[in-house]
Amino acid sequence: MKRKPMMAGNWKMNKTISEAKELALALKASAGAETKVDVVLCPPFLAIPTVAGAVAGSNIKVAAQDFFWKEKGAYTGEISAQMIKDGGCASVVIGHSERRGRFGKVEDDLVGEGLGPFGDNNTTVNTKTKAALDAGLLPIVCCGETLAERKTGKTDLVVKSQVLAALAGLSGEEIAKVVIAYEPVWAIGTGEVCDSAEANRVLGMIRGALAELVGDTAQAMQILYGGSVAPDNIEELMAQPEIDGGLVGGASLVAEKFQALIDAAAKARGGCCGCGG
Ligand code: 13P
């Protein structure tokens, strides 16, 4: 089945408001008319309205990097679904490993699930996914194993349980609206991209888990790969049939690099029949 690719740039804690505007305007100029790829920018909260304003009138969508599921109230430091929507977001990233306290590199083996400073875990990810859907936001739900889990053969177990936990209690109709992003923790920000065939295998496993929940509808769902995606590895990744695009950190911070990723996704899958034509 032909699925439209998505290229989502997760800017993480980078870019001041003026820097964010500059990057968004550059991408609007180069990718604003893109129709073959869903282009999504995920700026820091503070820059969301500015970025949304900068890309207004183009095909580029804006997403938040997180939110809190309560509607409003005494939750110091938090931001609601309604607030990010009001700021111009159509979508939201949920359960990024950095928010689950599962960091790559040094911290990888030091910090366990839910023990990091930001406190996301499978339960909060589930609550946030439901709340995002209720608010009419497209959830981009992250999953991925740590290096220690991979080394001990737990990749599929961990990833599948994260996906099933995130979607627990949702209707088939709701699940169909969710985008899954597989981001092996050890590949994030390390320059060590996951082997494309292995990424494809894990994504296929995820699609199989989705099919257990929603049957053939799983074939239409977008599943992304994230972790050191860059212009020099995107073609190989996009050549894999299960990979529907990328959730990109570092390479999304430079307009030319992110544009190269968008172009590669359009070329690989954006054609009339997936032929690139
Ligand atoms: P990098 O592309 O910098 O490895 O980050 C990936 C990521 O975590 C995107 O959410």
Side-chain angles (χ1 to χ4, degrees), residues 94-155:
I94 297 175
H96 192 283
S97 59
E98 287 153 13
R99 299 216 61 85
R100 292 176 189 251
R102 294 156 62 86
F103 293 93
K105 298 182 193 164
V106 178
E107 296 96 334
D108 185 7
D109 298 325
L110 301 180
V111 189
E113 172 89 9
L115 298 178
F118 313 124
D120 259 339
N121 56 43
N122 281 341
T123 307
T124 64
V125 169
N126 179 232
T127 309
K128 288 182 181 185
T129 304
K130 281 182 194 155
L133 287 164
D134 285 347
L137 288 161
L138 174 94
I140 302 174
V141 175
C142 302
C143 58
E145 82 287 356
T146 62
L147 187 58
E149 287 160 351
R150 173 159 284 266
K151 280 184 174 164
T152 50
K154 296 193 191 112
T155 298

Side-chain angles (χ1 to χ4, degrees), residues 23-34 60 255-256 258-259 262-263:
L23 178 55
L25 287 173
L27 287 166
K28 184 186 185 183
S30 59
E34 179 61 59
I60 298 175
E256 296 74 24
F258 194 54
Q259 186 60 46
I262 296 164
D263 290 343

